Amino acid sequence: MIKVAPSLLAADFCNMEKGVRKMEEAGADYLHCDVMDGVFVPNYSFGFQMIEGLKKITDIPLDVHLMITQPERYIERFAQAGSDIITVHAEATKHLQRVLKQIEQCGRKPAVVLNPATPLDMIQYVLDDVDMVLLMSVNPGYGGQGFIPVVLQKVRDLKAMIDAHGKEIDIEIDGGVNFENAPKLIEAGANVLVAGSSVFNDPDPALAVKRLRESK
Ligand SMILES: O=C(CO)[C@@H](O)[C@H](O)COP(=O)(O)O
């Protein structure tokens, strides 16, 4: 089953609740929450308070993508705030396996993410420690960027790596996901699609979510 995770980065920050309600009506599987620290990526977004606030107003699982350096400093706080999935960048910590265990010990689902230029080898030795691998298909920091085509092959390679490993692990893709590339991504092995602009900017977000989910 394909899951769609609308990215709140594309919502109106002055009216976040309206965006959440729209995504509830649209049948979103997760709410993708991009946390940025202005260091790991050249942009700021929001932090714990936003996650806490979101948790109070919706039952949609919160898929929290930490674009921050040394995420180990803040795992407990993001877990307490109500994150359901916590995703950390392999490039952002010297102790990846330890951070993933920290997330698990906090009772949240651990996931790891790679920037487009980071090779898959980097996560070979943490597959036992994750429920999901996220591949960035844009350089993180901003919504509305174009999909980097070479990532399609990376999805295929990741799928083969996971199948060879033998554990069920979700493959999530984030950045420039749209109706054109979604079928190819699903065919390559992705089963969770993050979508900002293609859902929030669509006049009919419910139809957009359905189209992405049923992409063939
Ligand atoms: O993490 C990021 C950007 O850093 C993404 O979640 C984007 O927010 C996705 O937006 P679109 O590319 O789908 O507009």
Side-chain angles (χ1 to χ4, degrees):
M1 156 90 177
I2 305 302
K3 292 191 165 90
V4 178
S7 170
L8 291 178
L9 202 58
D12 176 358
F13 275 31
C14 290
N15 208 339
M16 197 53 94
E17 181 161 9
K18 191 172 163 199
V20 171
R21 298 293 169 239
K22 223 192 254 184
M23 292 308 119
E24 285 174 339
E25 282 161 28
D29 297 287
Y30 298 146
L31 286 178
H32 187 80
C33 307
D34 287 315
V35 175
M36 303 179 184
D37 67 355
V39 177
F40 185 74
V41 290
N43 198 7
Y44 290 95
S45 56
F46 47 73
F48 321 112
Q49 290 97 333
M50 179 62 80
I51 305 301
E52 246 163 40
L54 291 168
K55 199 68 193 176
K56 283 185 193 140
I57 63 163
T58 186
D59 291 332
I60 305 181
L62 303 179
D63 172 24
V64 177
H65 174 190
L66 298 183
M67 279 167 265
I68 64 175
T69 48
Q70 295 176 273
E72 52 272 26
R73 295 173 296 157
Y74 297 113
I75 298 303
E76 260 180 51
R77 297 217 26 211
F78 277 104
Q80 280 164 7
S83 313
D84 293 279
I85 302 167
I86 300 182
T87 305
V88 293
H89 272 266
E91 306 90 349
T93 177
K94 288 183 182 157
H95 308 289
L96 182 57
Q97 200 266 351
R98 182 186 286 161
V99 189
L100 293 167
K101 279 286 164 218
Q102 215 184 336
I103 299 170
E104 192 190 5
Q105 280 157 9
C106 287
R108 305 298 185 243
K109 286 187 187 243
V112 65
V113 47
L114 295 179
N115 283 335
T118 306
L120 291 176
D121 301 0
M122 190 113 175
I123 55 168
Q124 175 77 61
Y125 295 103
V126 293
L127 291 181
D128 279 335
D129 303 300
V130 295
D131 289 325
M132 182 166 79
V133 176
L134 166 58
L135 293 183
M136 290 307 300
S137 40
V138 295
N139 291 293
Y142 302 97
Q145 303 181 77
F147 180 83
I148 299 174
V150 75
V151 175
L152 192 58
Q153 185 56 44
K154 198 173 178 186
V155 178
R156 291 189 196 105
D157 295 344
L158 174 63
K159 173 75 176 138
M161 186 195 261
I162 288 173
D163 286 349
H165 189 72
K167 181 189 166 196
E168 263 195 43
I169 298 174
D170 289 328
I171 299 180
E172 182 176 54
I173 307 300
D174 182 8
V177 173
N178 57 33
F179 304 127
E180 197 207 317
N181 56 36
K184 297 176 203 160
L185 288 165
I186 292 168
E187 202 189 342
N191 67 327
V192 185
L193 304 177
V194 176
S197 339
S198 58
V199 169
F200 275 94
N201 296 350
D202 196 290
D204 187 343
L207 184 60
V209 167
K210 186 170 154 39
R211 279 183 69 191
L212 286 171
R213 191 181 284 128
E214 295 172 3
S215 295
K216 275 193 201 116

